[in-house]
Every structure is written in C-alpha cells, then in structure tokens.
Amino acid sequence: MFDLSQLHTFGLSAKARNLVHWRDDSRLLIDRDEPHYILAGGSNTVFVDDFDGTLICVEGQGVSVTETDTDYVVTAQAGENWHDLVCALLAKGIDGLENLALIPGTVGAAPIQNIGAYGRELSEFCQSVDVRDKFTGEELQLTRRECQFGYRDSFFKRPEGQNLLVRSVTLALPKTWRPELSYGALTDLSKDCTAQQICEAVINIRSAKLPDPEKIGNAGSFFKNPVIEADHYDKLLADFPAMPGHPLSDGRIKVPAAFLIDKLGYKGYEREGIGCHASQPLVLFNTGEGSGQALLNMAREIRDAVYKRFAIQLHNEVRLVGRTGLVEL
Ligand SMILES: Cc1cc2nc3c(=O)[nH]c(=O)nc-3n(C[C@H](O)[C@H](O)[C@H](O)COP(=O)(O)OP(=O)(O)OC[C@H]3O[C@@H](n4cnc5c(N)ncnc54)[C@H](O)[C@@H]3O)c2cc1C
C-alpha cells in the first residue's frame, strides 16, 4: 500500500494499492478492468478514501520554445510545474501567462479543468495538446477547438476524453502583449505596467487571500462558481442587493459561490477537522484531523443549504477520489 497523504495537497490520510510513475518515454498501457487514476501535483484532487487501484503518477520534464512572426510557441511536458513555467517564460521576456501565476500543479493538468484566474484562462493560449490513449497507446494531437474548453471544463472531463493521458501542452503566446487588468485588485495597476509587475501583484494577492497548502491542507476552490439565468439572478437581487454577478456572452450570470456560502454563515466554520476558510469561504480545508467522510458531509451540507436558500446547484471543482474512482458529491 502507498501512503497518499503527501501526494494530494488536501493532505487527508489515505492509501493506494498500486502506484506507477509515468513519463512520456515509458510505454504504459492500462488494463480497462483495473481502477486507476492519473495523479500529478494533487492540488485539484482529494482522496476521500483508500484507493483500491493503480495511481499513475505523471512525471516528465522539458520545455521548448520556437517563434513565428507573431507568436512564441512553447511546448512543455506534462510533469513541468505550472508556476515555474510561468516564471521561466517571463524571465525570458515571453509574456502572457502572468495572470495565471502561482496556480499550483502541473502543465499536464492545466487543460483538464482549463485553469483560470484574474481574467485569463489557459484556453486563450493553448494551441494544441499532445495525448496518448492509456488503453491502446495511440498518440494524437488535439487542437484547441477539439479540447472543447469551457469554464473549468474541457473535453478531458468527458467519458471519451478520460481515456487520454496528456503528454505535453503547446501554447502560442502573442509577441504583441496586452495586459489584462480588469479583475479585482489588478485594476489598481497602471496601464503601463509590465507583465512582471502583474505577476508580482498576482503572487501578492494570492498569497494574502488563499491558504498555502504547505501550511494548511486544501485544494483551492472546492466548488465552481455557478452560472444562473438572468431572471433568476434578478429575483435574488431583490433579497440580496449586494450579490455580485458577472454577465456571460450567452446572457446568463456567473455568481461567486463564496458570496452564497458566506451568506449562509459557513465562513470560518469548522467541524470534525474540516473548515470553511475565514477569508475565502470557497476553500474548504483540513485542520489536520479531517477525514474523507467529514469532508463529504460538510461539502454536501453546504451544497444543500445553498440550494435550499438560493435555488442554485453547486458543483464541486475538485476531483474527489474514492475506493474505486471518482466520487460524486
Ligand atoms: C491553493 C490553491 C489555489 C488554486 N487556484 C486555482 C486557480 O486560481 N485556478 C484554477 O483553475 N485552479 C486552481 N487550483 C486548482 C489546481 O491548482 C489546478 O486544477 C491544477 O491544474 C491542478 O494541477 P495538479 O497537477 O495538481 O493536478 P491533479 O490534482 O494531480 O489532477 C487534476 C486532474 O487532472 C488530471 N490529470 C493530471 N495530469 C494529467 C495528465 N498528464 N493527463 C491526463 N489527466 C491528468 C487528474 O486525473 C485529475 O483529474 C488551486 C489549487 C490550490 C491548492
């Protein structure tokens, strides 16, 4: 049995029956009958039970950069650390990823939920993703369009996409750089600021706002921000005039789940070793005494309370892994 407490940032104690390391040069084929889970940095994964199957731990390093007239084209292997890549590119004068600084985890996991922060998403820069079918070994390349990126969503979350191991991600970063300063505290920066300054601001904001998984076990935002119909939002505004809402291009409204959870009084609440963070209630954390069952109980209670009060269905952003695979809340 392999101890998983150090292999996922939530830090719950759990074990796996089998664990293999996978680099792009290793010819790994998975038996369809064997329960398995691809694990990289473990910052969007919570093991809520012992895992009776094989964990495929993603490794593999390497970054290459080429140029076209308009773009820097960067290919990074799946096991590269995302934040290190952002910093290394900025140090080379290749700008664009600065708003996505300090997101924990690996390059290979970045397209799975289309990582995003401070007004930018991976999908804006992703040119293609090289993958391998873990059952047949077939290798192919998916274009950005084929990745079907959405808000914290992609083709890789669909049943067909779950056959695929990400080998590497290719990004196209335009040589003509434009800052994205429309989000939160970044609006305070000067329009003439550099990408490096944005990166530093993002690091400062994130460090002040989000609990450091090295110090307190967590997996970032536990729930996705829900998207609701405009008339539903208008009705809720009558009761909650301060409710923020971000209009989407299809007319629907994205609502911060943190606002809803805060309104129900869960901010700062702790029970059975699981807490709802006092400065960012979207983050659930492990005091060190938590268990998978206690986390599921708290998360389900919050989800149900939000539905009862606001008629809004919350969905978990983190992947919850139980005895034989993914668990639904
Ligand atoms: C403090 C904190 C802050 C965070 N902030 C943000 C944020 O601002 N924005 C954001 O989008 N996310 C955020 N996250 C979530 C997390 O950082 C991202 O989802 C990240 O991409 C996860 O990377 P990982 O390597 O740790 O993935 P893991 O948790 O190991 O895996 C995540 C998913 O990707 C799959 N996977 C991983 N590697 C591969 C591969 N090579 N091929 C196929 N599938 C693969 C796994 O099976 C799993 O389904 C945050 C997390 C924490 C702890």
Side-chain angles (χ1 to χ4, degrees):
M1 296 293 267
F2 295 84
D3 179 19
L4 302 179
S5 55
Q6 303 297 314
L7 298 185
H8 65 138
T9 60
F10 209 91
L12 293 177
S13 106
K15 292 188 169 42
R17 174 163 51 76
N18 191 21
L19 184 151
V20 295
H21 296 273
W22 176 74
R23 284 197 322 267
D24 195 27
D25 54 5
S26 49
R27 303 292 304 174
L28 176 77
L29 282 185
I30 296 292
D31 181 343
R32 286 180 195 267
D33 294 331
E34 167 71 352
H36 59 275
Y37 182 78
I38 304 168
L39 180 68
S43 62
N44 199 34
T45 297
V46 181
F47 291 99
V48 294
D49 203 343
D50 290 339
F51 181 58
D52 188 11
T54 298
L55 281 184
I56 304 161
C57 292
V58 177
E59 296 174 352
Q61 308 285 304
V63 178
S64 68
V65 182
T66 57
E67 291 183 43
T68 66
D69 288 346
T70 54
D71 296 306
Y72 294 105
V73 180
V74 178
T75 299
Q77 298 300 306
E80 285 285 337
N81 178 279
W82 173 261
H83 176 67
D84 291 349
L85 176 71
V86 173
C87 295
L89 291 176
L90 288 174
K92 286 189 167 105
I94 302 176
D95 301 337
L97 300 180
E98 54 283 343
N99 295 50
L100 302 176
L102 216 61
I103 296 181
T106 57
V107 166
I112 310 299
Q113 72 153 2
N114 181 24
I115 56 168
Y118 300 97
R120 291 264 195 235
E121 286 185 338
L122 177 88
S123 54
E124 295 167 56
F125 306 103
C126 182
Q127 182 170 283
S128 59
V129 177
D130 280 33
V131 295
R132 176 176 299 162
D133 188 305
K134 62 194 177 192
F135 301 121
T136 65
E138 185 192 1
E139 290 178 358
L140 60 157
Q141 186 173 75
L142 301 188
T143 61
R144 176 189 355 216
R145 180 183 287 266
E146 287 168 329
C147 289
Q148 298 174 22
F149 289 120
Y151 166 62
R152 299 294 183 274
D153 195 26
S154 73
F155 173 72
F156 303 102
K157 289 191 173 181
R158 319 254 182 285
E160 324 84 84
Q162 289 185 21
N163 292 355
L164 303 175
L165 274 161
V166 172
R167 303 168 55 209
S168 64
V169 177
T170 297
L171 307 167
L173 298 165
K175 290 181 174 174
T176 312
W177 174 76
R178 276 193 216 90
E180 166 54 61
L181 300 173
S182 60
Y183 188 96
L186 294 185
T187 50
D188 296 341
L189 291 177
S190 149
K191 300 259 176 305
D192 302 328
C193 67
T194 63
Q196 189 62 46
Q197 286 169 327
I198 297 177
C199 179
E200 283 160 19
V202 167
I203 290 173
N204 289 338
I205 300 164
R206 292 184 69 102
S207 306
K209 206 172 112 186
L210 291 170
D212 178 356
E214 295 278 322
K215 297 186 184 132
I216 182 148
N218 77 92
S221 302
F222 191 89
F223 296 103
K224 293 187 202 181
N225 288 318
V227 175
I228 61 174
E229 299 299 328
D231 57 347
H232 186 177
Y233 178 71
D234 290 341
K235 278 187 204 136
L236 289 171
L237 273 184
D239 282 344
F240 303 98
M243 180 183 281
H246 176 72
L248 303 181
S249 53
D250 62 6
R252 294 183 303 157
I253 311 285
K254 187 155 79 177
V255 175
F259 177 90
L260 309 174
I261 296 169
D262 185 9
K263 281 284 163 225
L264 292 168
Y266 281 101
K267 194 166 160 174
Y269 178 65
E270 275 184 38
R271 190 179 70 207
E272 295 178 281
I274 301 296
C276 178
H277 199 261
S279 58
Q280 177 43 279
L282 198 45
V283 174
L284 301 185
F285 65 89
N286 173 15
T287 63
E289 308 290 317
S291 67
Q293 194 55 53
L295 172 65
L296 292 176
N297 291 346
M298 170 98 89
R300 285 174 178 148
E301 183 180 309
I302 292 174
R303 177 202 59 189
D304 293 347
V306 165
Y307 188 76
K308 197 165 167 208
R309 180 65 191 88
F310 303 99
I312 292 178
Q313 186 69 55
L314 290 186
H315 297 282
N316 46 308
E317 179 175 318
V318 298
R319 319 301 302 274
L320 301 166
V321 183
R323 192 157 280 278
T324 55
L326 287 177
V327 172
E328 293 303 320
L329 254 197

